[in-house]
Amino acid sequence: MQQVSITLMKRKDIHYTQDSVASTFSDGTKIEDLAISLRNGKKLRDDKLIRVVQDDGKWFALDNRRLKAYQQAGIERIPVKIEDLNCPETKKDYELKRTSKRLSKDVKVRDRFKSQERSLEADPTFCYQKTILSWNTTQLSKNPTPGSLKQVPDKFSDANHFGDIFIPLILEESRSILQQGLATNQSKEPINVIIDQDKLKMGNNPENPFTASFLFDECSGITKEQILSFKSTIVLLRHKSLELLGMVVYVQESSTSSHPGLGIKIIVDELNRSKYDYLFARQRSLDNQLWSIQVLGSLVTQGRMYEVCKSKPVIELLSSLLKGKLQLQIVKNENSVKVLEDEDENNKMNDSQKILIDHFMSLSQGIQLVEGPPGTGKTTTITMLLQRLLREDNGRILVSGPS
């Protein structure tokens, strides 16, 4: 069990680990009510004191709402419990709570019962990238809390309702893919890369992604096929104790005038910019610049789904479709669809495709997911399913897709 010390600390010396906090505690007490009580002389019990940890010489709060209450009360010196980051439980709690990318001494109070949609920029692509790249490996390993994901209803009131349901599901699927990639690739030998400082241009806002150029170590023996395998993937970059998720946005093969490398979007928060300043300075010490890189997976499909949900495109019939009130006049043309004979259909399908179609035809309701890498026959399976439905089902069929 770790040793915890209780002491008085200047409030202005403590940073928040979050950008925003709920206006109430789990027991329903409002932050402003606790602030009034503290201003009137209330003392918190030892088990309710603010827990703080020290990281790179700076103090961070693990109890942001209580710190905000002291701030609202105008109390400058506050009692705190100092915990040790070497304790695994404390470290995990700190990594999960530290979602702010700034060294902030103030925090926004949000209404607990309002939509908790992130106040990010309107561009859905940027919004998705920023969300994914702000995660750390501890957050990837954390399973969703019960009740955090809503059940998908049969109908939706509008596009906003659809997005509210599916955006958390898309993000959870993205996290799960990266979690699986992290577990799968732990035993694989990482590849070494270095930052190309000549092309490095960090943004002023430490909360936003920026693109850094990483060059492969000349001794790594990287092949062209390996370089191309990084295209459009999410990678884990490591340097000493620093871990960053990155999104590969371009691949640079070697030529007579360039060294093989990758353009990777990353987020480097204010603390890490200070802690690892030599990584982002124009220095040439290879020992100080060496990173390892591992592929975790691709989120191209999830990113596209997120963009559609976030942008809420105006599409004819979409509102009626979501509400389950789509009314269409169907004009049949016998020459528009060629229905294959059973023998032709069976010759085109493998066993797994036949099993999937039989399973779908046995469903009275619900969804059948068809998933697989490119070229494995997903489109063919759907085409064969449509042929079967046209023969055996008198109902209407709606087919939709991105292209």
Side-chain angles (χ1 to χ4, degrees):
M1 186 174 180
Q2 68 167 315
Q3 295 293 323
V4 176
S5 61
I6 298 176
T7 186
L8 286 175
M9 186 176 291
K10 292 182 180 178
R11 178 174 50 79
K12 66 179 182 179
D13 292 337
I14 306 173
H15 297 85
Y16 288 92
T17 50
Q18 298 168 308
D19 291 316
S20 64
V21 293
S23 59
T24 60
F25 294 89
S26 57
D27 63 357
T29 303
K30 294 182 178 180
I31 290 178
E32 57 190 46
D33 291 339
L34 177 58
I36 293 172
S37 298
L38 292 171
R39 195 181 302 124
N40 291 334
K42 178 179 178 177
K43 305 295 183 184
L44 296 181
R45 302 195 314 264
D46 287 354
D47 62 331
K48 295 293 184 181
L49 294 180
I50 296 172
R51 297 168 298 147
V52 298
V53 295
Q54 190 175 40
D55 189 0
D56 196 35
K58 298 176 177 61
W59 293 100
F60 292 89
L62 298 181
D63 303 290
N64 293 271
R65 282 174 288 186
R66 285 175 223 165
L67 181 60
K68 184 64 178 179
Y70 275 107
Q71 181 183 348
Q72 290 183 351
I75 300 174
E76 299 301 327
R77 291 180 65 84
I78 60 177
V80 298
K81 288 194 296 185
I82 298 177
E83 296 195 357
D84 189 355
L85 266 184
N86 291 321
C87 172
E89 290 184 1
T90 301
K91 183 179 181 181
K92 182 177 181 179
D93 195 15
Y94 171 63
E95 290 176 342
L96 288 173
K97 285 180 176 290
R98 190 161 184 270
T99 56
S100 175
K101 302 303 175 184
R102 293 181 175 274
L103 293 175
S104 178
K105 295 186 179 179
D106 197 7
V107 70
K108 178 182 177 182
V109 178
R110 64 181 184 270
D111 190 328
R112 190 182 185 92
F113 303 102
K114 285 185 178 179
S115 170
Q116 296 185 6
E117 178 178 280
R118 294 176 181 270
S119 58
L120 301 176
E121 286 73 359
D123 180 5
T125 303
F126 179 87
C127 178
Y128 181 72
Q129 291 177 353
K130 185 171 180 178
T131 302
I132 299 300
L133 298 181
S134 66
W135 292 341
N136 56 43
T137 53
T138 303
Q139 290 166 327
L140 290 185
S141 303
K142 182 183 179 183
N143 292 322
T145 55
S148 61
L149 301 176
K150 300 178 182 177
Q151 185 174 357
V152 179
D154 294 331
K155 302 175 184 179
F156 302 89
S157 58
D158 52 26
N160 289 323
H161 182 204
F162 184 86
D164 289 342
I165 294 294
F166 275 97
I167 285 178
L169 292 172
I170 294 167
L171 291 175
E172 172 54 27
E173 183 180 34
S174 303
R175 185 202 63 78
S176 180
I177 290 171
L178 299 182
Q179 181 190 52
Q180 184 177 9
L182 186 64
T184 303
N185 293 317
Q186 276 184 340
S187 60
K188 294 183 179 180
E189 189 69 24
I191 298 173
N192 290 331
V193 291
I194 58 172
I195 290 182
D196 185 359
Q197 288 92 351
D198 292 338
K199 296 182 179 180
L200 184 64
K201 187 176 181 181
M202 299 175 67
N204 293 326
N205 188 347
E207 296 178 351
N208 292 340
F210 67 93
T211 301
S213 177
F214 286 83
L215 304 178
F216 289 104
D217 183 8
E218 294 179 355
C219 301
S220 65
I222 189 76
T223 65
K224 179 180 178 180
E225 289 72 21
Q226 286 176 307
I227 295 174
L228 293 176
S229 69
F230 282 93
K231 190 174 182 180
S232 302
T233 60
I234 304 297
V235 296
L236 176 63
L237 293 158
R238 284 192 174 104
H239 173 83
K240 297 182 179 179
S241 62
L242 176 61
E243 294 182 330
L244 300 175
L245 288 185
M247 180 176 292
V248 179
V249 291
Y250 69 80
V251 174
Q252 174 183 291
E253 299 179 52
S254 60
S255 66
T256 55
S257 58
S258 64
H259 197 68
L262 305 168
I264 305 178
K265 280 190 179 293
I266 54 176
I267 294 177
V268 183
D269 64 28
E270 208 165 352
L271 178 64
N272 283 326
R273 289 189 185 196
S274 171
K275 189 173 182 179
Y276 299 96
D277 59 335
Y278 60 86
L279 284 173
F280 310 105
R282 294 185 180 275
Q283 300 177 7
R284 285 298 175 189
S285 172
L286 182 61
D287 292 339
N288 284 340
Q289 300 294 329
L290 205 59
W291 296 69
S292 68
I293 182 171
Q294 287 182 305
V295 174
L296 299 185
S298 174
L299 298 180
V300 173
T301 300
Q302 288 69 31
R304 289 174 180 170
M305 292 191 294
Y306 183 96
E307 290 164 19
V308 171
C309 290
K310 198 74 173 175
S311 60
K312 304 177 181 68
V314 179
I315 303 174
E316 187 179 3
L317 306 177
L318 179 61
S319 178
S320 297
L321 176 63
L322 293 175
K323 294 178 181 178
K325 299 179 180 179
L326 185 63
Q327 298 293 330
L328 294 176
Q329 181 179 1
I330 306 299
V331 179
K332 289 188 177 182
N333 183 344
E334 297 299 334
N335 297 321
S336 62
V337 178
K338 179 183 178 183
V339 180
L340 299 179
E341 298 296 331
D342 287 348
E343 185 177 351
D344 294 331
E345 179 179 331
N346 286 329
N347 290 337
K348 284 180 173 287
M349 292 191 295
N350 58 38
D351 290 341
S352 64
Q353 292 171 316
K354 294 174 184 176
I355 292 172
L356 186 144
I357 289 178
D358 288 340
H359 181 265
F360 179 86
M361 296 300 294
S362 69
L363 293 177
S364 59
Q365 62 180 4
I367 294 175
Q368 175 71 56
L369 178 65
V370 183
E371 190 171 20
T376 54
K378 298 185 297 296
T379 305
T380 300
T381 302
I382 294 172
T383 303
M384 294 299 102
L385 173 60
L386 292 173
Q387 299 284 359
R388 178 94 170 260
L389 289 169
L390 286 169
R391 274 202 318 274
E392 302 181 14
D393 197 321
N394 294 323
R396 293 178 296 178
I397 304 171
L398 173 65
V399 181
S400 64
S403 61

